[in-house]
Amino acid sequence: MIIQKYKIVFAGSMGSGKTEAIKSLSEIPVLATEAYNTDDNSHKKMLTTVGIDYGEVTLEDGNKIGLYGTPGQDRFDFMWGVICKGAIGTIILIDHTIENPLKDLQFYIDTFKAHGENITIGITHVDEDQSKSTHQYREWLIENNLTYPLFFIDARKQDDVLMLIETLITSLEVKYL
């Protein structure tokens, strides 16, 4: 039985590290719905999420958080609203190495802000493509009058993912306290 006080959703482009982020934090074995990737045009990874990923983490104050990962392919967008129901916020992960990461960033922000305004952004795989500027993300946010927190992270590193979660929770506290 899944019992948690809070729910956080991980969304974003295919291969951005949603499953890895959940695995890096979860105190329980992650429920993953991965299947062989048949969409080689979008990403070369072997497995991709086709349902949801689920993990749990307990914060220092004892609050348990459910970590829900969405599939990154927009053909599964019918599930996104269901997964977001009751969430305190969304962490959007974007793969820096894809052809047009700003296009994906805009798509995922536009889509997931309809399910809640509490969003934190993590840009992944920055170390794999240093030819692209990282400044483009902050510039894009400023140009679009958006103030979402933005971090460059490694989804495999527990501290990086925990920083995203703590930022998301702090943003919520600042808004409502």
Side-chain angles (χ1 to χ4, degrees):
M1 177 185 226
I2 298 172
I3 300 174
Q4 86 254 338
K5 188 170 182 179
Y6 301 110
K7 174 182 184 179
I8 293 177
V9 173
F10 286 78
S13 53
M14 183 176 170
S16 62
K18 298 177 297 292
T19 301
E20 285 304 313
I22 293 170
K23 284 180 181 177
S24 77
L25 278 185
S26 185
E27 301 164 349
I28 64 169
V30 173
L31 166 68
T33 56
E34 293 190 313
Y36 286 105
N37 177 22
T38 58
D39 187 5
D40 282 354
N41 294 331
S42 294
H43 206 284
K44 298 294 181 201
K45 65 187 247 175
M46 186 166 46
L47 297 174
T48 189
T49 301
V50 295
I52 72 166
D53 293 329
Y54 178 78
E56 291 179 354
V57 64
T58 306
L59 298 180
E60 288 179 7
D61 62 5
N63 283 315
K64 190 172 291 282
I65 298 179
L67 310 170
Y68 292 77
T70 65
Q73 300 168 51
D74 60 2
R75 65 182 169 162
F76 296 114
D77 65 354
F78 63 92
M79 299 172 60
W80 296 346
V82 174
I83 295 170
C84 287
K85 194 169 197 134
I88 63 169
T90 302
I91 293 172
I92 295 177
L93 297 180
I94 300 296
D95 181 348
H96 180 69
T97 66
I98 61 176
E99 187 176 329
N100 192 345
L102 290 178
K103 180 181 173 189
D104 272 18
L105 180 59
Q106 179 162 9
F107 172 77
Y108 287 100
I109 286 176
D110 288 347
T111 300
F112 282 89
K113 74 179 177 184
H115 303 293
E117 279 290 325
N118 195 26
I119 293 172
T120 296
I121 302 163
I123 308 299
T124 61
H125 305 294
V126 174
D127 59 323
E128 295 174 28
D129 187 352
Q130 296 178 0
S131 67
K132 283 187 204 151
S133 170
T134 55
H135 297 290
Q136 66 180 326
Y137 302 104
R138 294 203 193 281
E139 290 169 3
W140 183 87
L141 287 171
I142 291 167
E143 288 169 11
N144 289 279
N145 295 316
L146 299 172
T147 58
Y148 299 119
L150 171 74
F151 298 95
F152 301 100
I153 64 133
D154 184 333
R156 300 166 297 185
K157 292 186 177 176
Q158 186 179 40
D159 287 344
D160 285 8
V161 181
L162 196 53
M163 176 181 55
L164 293 174
I165 287 178
E166 289 172 347
T167 300
L168 192 73
I169 291 169
T170 301
S171 295
L172 192 62
E173 289 173 344
V174 166
K175 258 183 213 173
Y176 296 105
L177 293 181

